[in-house]
Short mmCIF file of all heavy atoms in Angstrom, two decimals:
data_model
loop_
_atom_site.label_atom_id
_atom_site.label_comp_id
_atom_site.label_asym_id
_atom_site.label_seq_id
_atom_site.Cartn_x
_atom_site.Cartn_y
_atom_site.Cartn_z
N LEU A 1 0.82 -1.20 0.00
CA LEU A 1 0.00 0.00 0.00
C LEU A 1 0.86 1.26 0.00
O LEU A 1 1.93 1.30 0.60
CB LEU A 1 -0.91 0.02 1.22
CG LEU A 1 -1.89 -1.15 1.37
CD1 LEU A 1 -2.79 -0.92 2.59
CD2 LEU A 1 -2.72 -1.32 0.11
N GLU A 2 0.37 2.28 -0.68
CA GLU A 2 1.05 3.57 -0.76
C GLU A 2 0.16 4.64 -0.14
O GLU A 2 -1.06 4.65 -0.33
CB GLU A 2 1.32 3.95 -2.22
CG GLU A 2 2.22 2.99 -2.96
CD GLU A 2 3.69 3.19 -2.66
OE1 GLU A 2 4.03 4.23 -2.07
OE2 GLU A 2 4.49 2.31 -3.02
N HIS A 3 0.80 5.54 0.57
CA HIS A 3 0.13 6.74 1.07
C HIS A 3 -0.26 7.60 -0.13
O HIS A 3 0.25 7.41 -1.24
CB HIS A 3 1.10 7.51 1.98
CG HIS A 3 0.46 8.54 2.84
ND1 HIS A 3 0.06 9.77 2.37
CD2 HIS A 3 0.14 8.54 4.16
CE1 HIS A 3 -0.45 10.48 3.35
NE2 HIS A 3 -0.41 9.76 4.46
N ALA A 4 -1.16 8.52 0.06
CA ALA A 4 -1.53 9.43 -1.01
C ALA A 4 -0.30 10.19 -1.53
O ALA A 4 0.63 10.48 -0.78
CB ALA A 4 -2.57 10.43 -0.52
N LEU A 5 -0.30 10.49 -2.82
CA LEU A 5 0.71 11.32 -3.46
C LEU A 5 2.13 10.77 -3.42
O LEU A 5 3.08 11.48 -3.05
CB LEU A 5 0.70 12.75 -2.88
CG LEU A 5 -0.62 13.51 -3.06
CD1 LEU A 5 -0.60 14.81 -2.28
CD2 LEU A 5 -0.89 13.78 -4.53
N PRO A 6 2.35 9.51 -3.78
CA PRO A 6 3.73 9.02 -3.87
C PRO A 6 4.48 9.74 -4.99
O PRO A 6 3.88 10.24 -5.94
CB PRO A 6 3.54 7.53 -4.21
CG PRO A 6 2.21 7.47 -4.89
CD PRO A 6 1.36 8.50 -4.21
N ASP A 7 5.80 9.79 -4.87
CA ASP A 7 6.62 10.48 -5.86
C ASP A 7 6.92 9.52 -7.02
O ASP A 7 8.03 8.99 -7.16
CB ASP A 7 7.92 10.96 -5.21
CG ASP A 7 8.72 11.90 -6.11
OD1 ASP A 7 8.25 12.19 -7.23
OD2 ASP A 7 9.82 12.31 -5.69
N VAL A 8 5.92 9.32 -7.86
CA VAL A 8 5.96 8.30 -8.91
C VAL A 8 7.10 8.51 -9.90
O VAL A 8 7.76 7.56 -10.33
CB VAL A 8 4.61 8.25 -9.65
CG1 VAL A 8 4.67 7.33 -10.86
CG2 VAL A 8 3.51 7.80 -8.69
N LEU A 9 7.36 9.74 -10.28
CA LEU A 9 8.38 10.02 -11.28
C LEU A 9 9.74 10.34 -10.66
O LEU A 9 10.69 10.62 -11.38
CB LEU A 9 7.94 11.17 -12.18
CG LEU A 9 6.68 10.91 -13.02
CD1 LEU A 9 6.31 12.15 -13.83
CD2 LEU A 9 6.87 9.72 -13.94
N GLY A 10 9.81 10.31 -9.33
CA GLY A 10 11.06 10.64 -8.65
C GLY A 10 11.56 9.52 -7.78
O GLY A 10 11.86 8.43 -8.25
N THR A 11 11.61 9.77 -6.49
CA THR A 11 12.23 8.82 -5.58
C THR A 11 11.50 7.48 -5.49
O THR A 11 12.10 6.47 -5.12
CB THR A 11 12.32 9.43 -4.17
OG1 THR A 11 11.00 9.82 -3.73
CG2 THR A 11 13.21 10.67 -4.17
N ASP A 12 10.22 7.46 -5.81
CA ASP A 12 9.45 6.21 -5.71
C ASP A 12 9.28 5.51 -7.06
O ASP A 12 8.55 4.52 -7.15
CB ASP A 12 8.05 6.51 -5.13
CG ASP A 12 8.12 7.17 -3.77
OD1 ASP A 12 9.08 6.86 -3.02
OD2 ASP A 12 7.24 7.98 -3.45
N ARG A 13 9.94 6.00 -8.08
CA ARG A 13 9.73 5.50 -9.44
C ARG A 13 9.91 3.98 -9.55
O ARG A 13 9.12 3.30 -10.22
CB ARG A 13 10.69 6.21 -10.40
CG ARG A 13 10.54 5.79 -11.86
CD ARG A 13 11.63 6.40 -12.73
NE ARG A 13 11.48 6.02 -14.12
CZ ARG A 13 11.03 6.81 -15.08
NH1 ARG A 13 10.67 8.05 -14.79
NH2 ARG A 13 10.94 6.38 -16.32
N GLU A 14 10.90 3.43 -8.90
CA GLU A 14 11.22 2.01 -9.04
C GLU A 14 10.05 1.12 -8.62
O GLU A 14 9.88 0.02 -9.15
CB GLU A 14 12.47 1.68 -8.23
CG GLU A 14 12.98 0.27 -8.43
CD GLU A 14 14.27 0.02 -7.69
OE1 GLU A 14 14.99 1.00 -7.43
OE2 GLU A 14 14.56 -1.14 -7.36
N ARG A 15 9.25 1.60 -7.68
CA ARG A 15 8.14 0.80 -7.19
C ARG A 15 6.98 0.73 -8.18
O ARG A 15 6.11 -0.13 -8.07
CB ARG A 15 7.64 1.33 -5.85
CG ARG A 15 8.66 1.25 -4.73
CD ARG A 15 7.97 1.22 -3.37
NE ARG A 15 7.19 2.41 -3.10
CZ ARG A 15 7.67 3.52 -2.53
NH1 ARG A 15 8.96 3.58 -2.22
NH2 ARG A 15 6.90 4.55 -2.29
N PHE A 16 6.97 1.64 -9.16
CA PHE A 16 5.82 1.74 -10.07
C PHE A 16 6.17 1.40 -11.52
O PHE A 16 5.30 0.97 -12.28
CB PHE A 16 5.23 3.15 -10.02
CG PHE A 16 4.69 3.52 -8.67
CD1 PHE A 16 5.47 4.23 -7.76
CD2 PHE A 16 3.42 3.16 -8.28
CE1 PHE A 16 4.99 4.57 -6.51
CE2 PHE A 16 2.92 3.49 -7.04
CZ PHE A 16 3.70 4.19 -6.15
N ALA A 17 7.41 1.62 -11.93
CA ALA A 17 7.81 1.43 -13.32
C ALA A 17 7.64 -0.03 -13.73
O ALA A 17 8.12 -0.95 -13.06
CB ALA A 17 9.25 1.88 -13.53
N GLY A 18 6.94 -0.24 -14.83
CA GLY A 18 6.73 -1.58 -15.36
C GLY A 18 5.79 -2.44 -14.53
O GLY A 18 5.75 -3.66 -14.70
N ARG A 19 5.02 -1.82 -13.67
CA ARG A 19 4.13 -2.55 -12.79
C ARG A 19 2.70 -2.04 -12.91
O ARG A 19 2.45 -1.00 -13.50
CB ARG A 19 4.61 -2.46 -11.34
CG ARG A 19 6.01 -3.05 -11.15
CD ARG A 19 6.44 -3.02 -9.72
NE ARG A 19 7.77 -3.62 -9.56
CZ ARG A 19 8.36 -3.80 -8.38
NH1 ARG A 19 7.77 -3.42 -7.26
NH2 ARG A 19 9.55 -4.36 -8.32
N HIS A 20 1.79 -2.80 -12.31
CA HIS A 20 0.38 -2.43 -12.33
C HIS A 20 0.01 -1.77 -11.02
O HIS A 20 0.19 -2.35 -9.94
CB HIS A 20 -0.49 -3.68 -12.55
CG HIS A 20 -1.96 -3.38 -12.58
ND1 HIS A 20 -2.92 -4.33 -12.34
CD2 HIS A 20 -2.64 -2.23 -12.84
CE1 HIS A 20 -4.12 -3.79 -12.45
NE2 HIS A 20 -3.96 -2.50 -12.75
N THR A 21 -0.48 -0.53 -11.09
CA THR A 21 -0.89 0.21 -9.90
C THR A 21 -2.38 0.46 -9.93
O THR A 21 -2.94 0.90 -10.93
CB THR A 21 -0.15 1.56 -9.81
OG1 THR A 21 1.26 1.34 -9.74
CG2 THR A 21 -0.59 2.33 -8.58
N LEU A 22 -3.01 0.19 -8.81
CA LEU A 22 -4.43 0.49 -8.63
C LEU A 22 -4.54 1.71 -7.72
O LEU A 22 -4.03 1.70 -6.60
CB LEU A 22 -5.14 -0.71 -7.99
CG LEU A 22 -6.58 -0.50 -7.54
CD1 LEU A 22 -7.48 -0.23 -8.73
CD2 LEU A 22 -7.08 -1.69 -6.74
N VAL A 23 -5.19 2.77 -8.21
CA VAL A 23 -5.41 3.98 -7.42
C VAL A 23 -6.86 3.99 -6.96
O VAL A 23 -7.78 3.87 -7.77
CB VAL A 23 -5.11 5.25 -8.25
CG1 VAL A 23 -5.40 6.50 -7.42
CG2 VAL A 23 -3.65 5.24 -8.71
N VAL A 24 -7.05 4.14 -5.67
CA VAL A 24 -8.39 4.14 -5.09
C VAL A 24 -8.70 5.54 -4.56
O VAL A 24 -7.98 6.06 -3.72
CB VAL A 24 -8.49 3.13 -3.93
CG1 VAL A 24 -9.91 3.09 -3.38
CG2 VAL A 24 -8.06 1.75 -4.40
#
């Protein structure tokens, strides 16, 4: 789980790149 507003294009990029993310 991720808190609101993760730094998708910056420091948190590795957790999201090439993966499936569900935003609720």
Side-chain angles (χ1 to χ4, degrees):
L1 300 184
E2 298 281 347
H3 196 283
L5 299 171
D7 190 2
V8 172
L9 297 178
T11 57
D12 302 327
R13 181 187 181 105
E14 187 175 336
R15 296 204 299 272
F16 298 95
R19 299 183 179 184
H20 180 201
T21 300
L22 171 65
V23 178
V24 183

